[in-house]
Amino acid sequence: MKLHNQTMIAFSVTRYQKNDRTMEKTIDKLSTGLAIRRASDNAAGLAVSETIRAQVRGLSQAQRNMQDGLSVLQAANEGLNNVNGLLQRGRELAVMSANETMTAEDRKASQAELDELLKAIDDTAQKLEFNTKKILGENAPLILMVGANPGQKLTVDLVDTSTSALNLTQASVLTSESAEQLIQTLDEAIIKTTGNLTKIGSYYEAIEHHMANTMVKETNLTSSLSKLVDTDMAKEMMNYISQDIRQNSDQLIVSRINQSAGDALKLFNS
């Protein structure tokens, strides 16, 4: 049996339990670093934070999309440079074969080398791929998602560098006349390939510009999200200390009252 002040103990116990629940939330915030972990923490804040979080993650993925696009353009650039080099060598053969000092056998040897050059051009066009998608073998557009929302896209027009696209399927240096005509055809192919290289460079620059803007947006949104959901560690630490003092005080009050009641019982037993 205990003799105690029911009102004071009931008040202290109630305050202790309330404070215990508050301390649990504070410890949760301190341990996770998050001010909002569940809807009950801040229902409106949670809705806003999840919307911002979706934007941040979308922008992050858009940057990866654009990085893939840059990789495609880098591969296309290398492929076009290779084709350009092959065309330049083909032009040398055409100029050489247009010379009347060449014999028929000489021109046959030049034609054999030219045929291999043309095969190499088609090989580049057909086999240069990124994630199984042809890069230089067709004129299909490459559409990149460069933002977090619908409609934020960039279209990159891929180019066809096959011999048929460059009008080189009938290329011949077997006569001086055909070799001379081929010089003009190769000049046009070189101009077209150089133009494609310029176009690829322009797309590369545009994607880099979009990436820079996306990184700025992501940084700003991440900062806003942090301010909304991250715990103010200094403030929560002060709350924890304050709650700990109150909790210890309530424990002391209940303990002292029970001790006083025990002392009173001893007097009755004397």
Side-chain angles (χ1 to χ4, degrees), residues 222-230:
T222 300
S223 178
S224 298
L225 182 63
S226 176
K227 291 175 182 177
L228 184 63
V229 303
D230 289 350

Side-chain angles (χ1 to χ4, degrees), residues 225-244:
L225 182 63
S226 176
K227 291 175 182 177
L228 184 63
V229 303
D230 289 350
T231 297
D232 184 336
M233 300 300 285
K235 178 182 176 182
E236 290 301 328
M237 197 65 207
M238 291 301 297
N239 286 340
Y240 175 78
I241 293 171
S242 175
Q243 292 157 9
D244 187 52

Side-chain angles (χ1 to χ4, degrees), residues 79-80 83-84 86-87 117-128 134-139 158-171 185-186 188-190 192-193 196:
L80 287 169
V83 169
N84 219 15
L86 294 169
L87 292 173
L117 293 174
L118 297 177
K119 286 180 183 178
I121 290 173
D122 280 334
D123 192 58
T124 300
Q126 294 301 318
K127 294 183 180 179
L128 189 64
K134 291 186 184 300
I135 298 175
L136 297 177
E138 53 190 37
N139 290 315
L158 298 178
V159 296
D160 186 355
T161 59
S162 63
T163 54
S164 58
L166 296 175
N167 196 29
L168 293 172
T169 53
Q170 303 299 321
T185 304
L186 285 168
E188 293 171 358
I190 290 170
K192 186 174 183 179
T193 304
N196 287 334

Side-chain angles (χ1 to χ4, degrees), residues 146-158:
V146 297
N149 300 312
Q152 296 177 340
K153 297 183 290 187
L154 177 67
T155 301
V156 174
D157 292 322
L158 298 178

Side-chain angles (χ1 to χ4, degrees), residues 57-262:
R57 295 183 65 171
L59 290 171
S60 180
Q61 181 58 54
Q63 290 176 59
R64 292 193 288 273
N65 292 349
M66 286 184 277
Q67 191 58 60
D68 286 342
L70 291 178
S71 296
V72 170
L73 293 179
Q74 286 172 349
N77 186 78
E78 291 301 317
L80 287 169
N81 279 330
N82 181 56
V83 169
N84 219 15
L86 294 169
L87 292 173
Q88 293 287 358
R89 176 54 186 163
R91 193 179 190 282
E92 286 180 3
L93 292 174
V95 171
M96 182 175 66
S97 297
N99 194 23
E100 288 295 341
T101 61
M102 297 285 286
T103 66
E105 291 301 317
D106 292 335
R107 290 195 177 93
K108 284 182 181 180
S110 295
Q111 183 67 44
E113 184 179 350
L114 178 63
D115 289 342
E116 290 303 315
L117 293 174
L118 297 177
K119 286 180 183 178
I121 290 173
D122 280 334
D123 192 58
T124 300
Q126 294 301 318
K127 294 183 180 179
L128 189 64
E129 298 179 344
F130 183 87
N131 195 29
T132 72
K133 185 178 180 66
K134 291 186 184 300
I135 298 175
L136 297 177
E138 53 190 37
N139 290 315
L142 176 68
I143 300 174
L144 301 176
M145 193 72 180
V146 297
N149 300 312
Q152 296 177 340
K153 297 183 290 187
L154 177 67
T155 301
V156 174
D157 292 322
L158 298 178
V159 296
D160 186 355
T161 59
S162 63
T163 54
S164 58
L166 296 175
N167 196 29
L168 293 172
T169 53
Q170 303 299 321
S172 172
V173 291
L174 292 176
T175 65
S176 60
E177 293 78 8
S178 64
E180 191 170 352
Q181 288 179 342
L182 183 58
I183 294 172
Q184 179 63 35
T185 304
L186 285 168
D187 281 341
E188 293 171 358
I190 290 170
I191 290 171
K192 186 174 183 179
T193 304
T194 303
N196 287 334
L197 276 167
T198 302
K199 187 186 296 184
I200 291 297
S202 299
Y203 284 135
Y204 199 98
E205 210 172 311
I207 293 174
E208 285 188 323
H209 176 70
H210 278 289
M211 277 195 73
N213 285 341
T214 303
M215 288 173 68
V216 171
K217 290 178 184 177
E218 183 188 9
T219 300
N220 291 338
L221 284 174
T222 300
S223 178
S224 298
L225 182 63
S226 176
K227 291 175 182 177
L228 184 63
V229 303
D230 289 350
T231 297
D232 184 336
M233 300 300 285
K235 178 182 176 182
E236 290 301 328
M237 197 65 207
M238 291 301 297
N239 286 340
Y240 175 78
I241 293 171
S242 175
Q243 292 157 9
D244 187 52
I245 291 172
R246 286 199 298 269
Q247 196 170 40
N248 289 334
S249 297
D250 289 331
Q251 282 181 323
L252 184 60
I253 289 171
V254 173
S255 176
R256 287 292 176 85
I257 291 174
N258 284 333
Q259 184 179 356
S260 297

